[in-house]
Amino acid sequence: MTMDVEGGKRALREQWAPIVDALGYKFSPDEELVDFCLEQEVTLYGKHGIPFCPCQGLTGERDHDMRIVCPCIPWHRKHFDRMRRCWCGLFVHKDVMDPDSLPQIPEGEVD
Ligand code: SF4
């Protein structure tokens, strides 16, 4: 059965909200960005059966690729906690109201 895109986006939202909540994150208040990311993920899910990250490239190496299955926060927690957002900006720390103000910090600069 193929799920329609809107239904898929709703399902991902419902599934992920409590997971990221427990990690101290929430969906970004930037609704347009959230909508765009979720749409990409529904497509990736349709293609691979796994909701891979919409902003990170797959390499085909299992160890790498399994670390970019959304929400990948537990794998990259230190980095994301520094930025207060995930790479794509789909998720931000719960207290973030203005996601555009958050800097991207290269991984190498996170100690
Ligand atoms: S960077 Fe964000 S959108 Fe991408 S997989 Fe990780 S949590 Fe999901």
Side-chain angles (χ1 to χ4, degrees):
M1 190 182 82
T2 350
M3 210 192 302
D4 69 287
V5 175
E6 290 308 314
K9 284 170 10 186
R10 266 198 308 279
L12 291 180
R13 265 186 199 268
E14 283 167 21
Q15 193 187 327
W16 288 342
I19 298 173
V20 302
D21 183 75
L23 295 167
Y25 286 75
K26 65 179 181 183
F27 279 100
S28 172
D30 183 341
E31 274 300 325
E32 213 173 304
L33 175 77
V34 169
D35 197 66
F36 177 76
C37 287
L38 289 177
E39 190 158 333
Q40 302 290 309
E41 297 196 77
V42 169
T43 305
L44 286 159
Y45 184 80
K47 198 169 164 194
H48 303 282
I50 298 175
F52 285 114
C53 182
C55 71
Q56 300 293 312
L58 293 168
T59 62
E61 286 166 41
R62 195 184 153 79
D63 280 357
H64 169 272
D65 291 348
M66 292 322 278
R67 283 176 167 75
I68 54 165
V69 176
C70 199
C72 71
I73 298 164
W75 296 108
H76 311 287
R77 173 122 213 179
K78 203 170 166 188
H79 192 182
F80 293 172
D81 280 351
R82 272 287 299 282
M83 301 194 290
R84 298 169 67 225
R85 52 170 283 174
C86 71
W87 286 312
C88 304
L90 175 58
F91 301 114
V92 295
H93 269 190
K94 275 185 200 173
D95 60 348
V96 171
M97 307 309 281
D98 177 12
D100 290 343
S101 67
L102 301 179
Q104 280 274 14
I105 302 170
E107 199 159 7
E109 288 178 25
V110 178
D111 36 58

